[in-house]
Amino acid sequence: MNVDGIVRRNMLLRVAGGLSIASVGALLAVWAQLPLPWMLGALLATAATRIAGVGTACPRPARNGGQWVIGTSLGLYFTPQVVEHIGGNAGPIIVGMVFALGLAFMGTAMLRRYTDADFKTAWFASAIGGASEMASLAERHGARIDRVATAHSVRVLLVVITVPFIFQWWGVAGLDPTVPGPQRVHGSGLAALVLLTCLGGLAFMKLRLPNPWVLGPMVVAMLLTVFGIELSALPDYVPKAGQLLIGWSLGDRYRPDFFRAAPRFIAVVAAFTLGALVLAFGLGALLSYWSAAPAPTLILGTTPGGIAEMAITAKVLQLGVPVVTAFHVTRMVFVVTATGPIYAVLARRQA
């Protein structure tokens, strides 16, 4: 066997090992009755083994596949009635966007005060946007990409682990049980849905838009549902597979030296994330006096997690999937577009 063949075989073994560990972790989490078992079990098992030095791998297409599942399933919830309901929450959604900006200032101040991070690194590490988008902006402005990526990994990990357990303990599942438009699986319709939503993901990726494999399929599925075109529902096992792939890809980010690389920086990011969660719970409770949506739905909408992870939480717990999605999508777009220009203004003032 030539060198290329050996490399491919070793990579296949690493991927197969990673998928096996993630699957076992998910099944153990189901057995232990953990919240969001297919995502959390895969995430925790993968992260633990990667930090322990196990050389498994998760290929990028696996995360893209998980995001496609989440994006497509989210889009199927946007019936005309649900869209009207979201319009009634425009005010709270705008407040959520401003809240995310306030968290960026809070995190920047904490990192500047308690770590050796420079201003630009602290700013892009604290912005509540996607990890890849913030890392790209950090690279463009000369910030430390490794610190920025680490900060967002810690934030997402803490939110994904903490929030589902809090909601399980709170016992608030099923307060806002929105159901998707299509209710039955149709073979030809499912094939058409897969094709169209994948084309949406490819288009978003070609245009270099943020979160292409969540937002591209979501927009296509949402347009179909809004206009009453019900091609097919997704089979029951597909969302579970998507959650497993998301958990596997999140856990695969961690390496043996993760906690040794910058312990003080990681500790401050963790403290900032927990503080942001406390503020998000308070803001969600306040917004419930303005919105008809239940407080848990509004809390999920304002938490500093990612679109896919918080949408999964809302879906599994039946807590207003479209409203939570609207909060996170608008916040992500706002943060990605505003973070760079705001940094430029602040940097000039500091010069």
Side-chain angles (χ1 to χ4, degrees):
M1 184 180 293
N2 59 30
V3 174
D4 289 341
I6 293 173
V7 171
R8 282 196 297 271
R9 185 191 66 180
N10 288 341
M11 178 55 69
L12 286 174
L13 289 174
R14 292 177 64 198
V15 170
L19 180 57
S20 298
I21 289 171
S23 301
V24 170
L27 291 172
L28 287 173
V30 171
W31 173 78
Q33 297 184 338
L34 297 184
L36 279 72
W38 293 96
M39 181 173 69
L40 280 184
L43 188 161
L44 293 173
T46 304
T49 52
R50 292 296 277 140
I51 290 172
V54 178
T56 57
C58 176
R60 179 177 291 274
R63 177 163 178 79
N64 291 345
Q67 291 183 326
W68 170 83
V69 172
I70 302 307
T72 302
S73 61
L74 292 179
L76 296 178
Y77 280 87
F78 284 82
T79 61
Q81 295 80 8
V82 166
V83 172
E84 291 179 11
H85 178 55
I86 291 174
N89 283 279
I93 288 171
I94 292 172
V95 171
M97 293 162 59
V98 176
F99 173 66
L101 184 60
L103 290 181
F105 282 98
M106 181 179 108
T108 301
M110 291 178 66
L111 289 172
R112 292 282 286 149
R113 172 68 177 81
Y114 298 108
T115 75
D116 60 354
D118 57 24
F119 173 72
K120 51 191 166 188
T121 298
W123 174 254
F124 291 110
S126 303
I128 311 298
S132 58
E133 289 80 25
M134 291 303 104
S136 177
L137 285 171
E139 182 178 24
R140 189 181 309 166
H141 291 281
R144 289 193 55 177
I145 306 173
D146 57 337
R147 292 284 184 93
V148 172
T150 296
H152 290 287
S153 295
V154 171
R155 173 175 60 83
V156 171
L157 179 67
L158 278 176
V159 172
V160 169
I161 290 176
T162 305
V163 171
F165 280 101
I166 292 174
F167 276 66
Q168 185 183 55
W169 170 80
W170 195 2
V172 294
L175 292 183
D176 195 5
T178 312
V179 296
Q183 300 294 311
R184 299 179 63 183
V185 177
H186 302 282
S188 58
L190 179 61
L193 179 65
V194 171
L195 175 61
L196 292 172
T197 50
C198 284
L199 289 174
L202 289 171
F204 269 55
M205 188 169 65
K206 183 73 173 177
L207 295 171
R208 297 186 177 182
L209 296 174
N211 278 3
W213 287 102
V214 174
L215 298 183
M218 188 188 78
V219 167
V220 172
M222 182 174 66
L223 289 173
L224 291 171
T225 307
V226 165
F227 288 105
I229 304 172
E230 298 187 359
L231 297 176
S232 174
L234 292 176
D236 290 339
Y237 61 84
V238 172
K240 293 177 181 177
Q243 292 174 43
L244 186 146
L245 293 174
I246 292 289
W248 179 24
S249 64
L250 287 174
D252 189 64
R253 296 177 181 177
Y254 296 89
R255 299 292 182 270
D257 63 345
F258 179 78
F259 291 109
R260 297 194 300 270
R264 178 183 288 271
F265 183 84
I266 291 173
V268 174
V269 170
F272 160 60
T273 302
L274 294 176
L277 279 174
V278 171
L279 293 174
F281 270 72
L283 178 62
L286 287 174
L287 289 177
S288 66
Y289 291 100
W290 185 3
S291 168
T297 297
L298 298 166
I299 289 169
L300 270 184
T302 55
T303 50
I307 297 173
E309 297 81 24
M310 292 302 95
I312 290 171
T313 305
K315 186 174 186 296
V316 173
L317 298 180
Q318 296 184 321
L319 290 174
V321 176
V323 173
V324 172
T325 303
F327 265 91
H328 284 277
V329 169
T330 53
R331 184 193 71 194
M332 186 273 298
V333 172
F334 172 69
V335 169
V336 168
T337 55
T339 299
I342 292 174
Y343 165 74
V345 173
L346 295 176
R348 281 197 298 268
R349 289 187 176 182
Q350 291 211 342

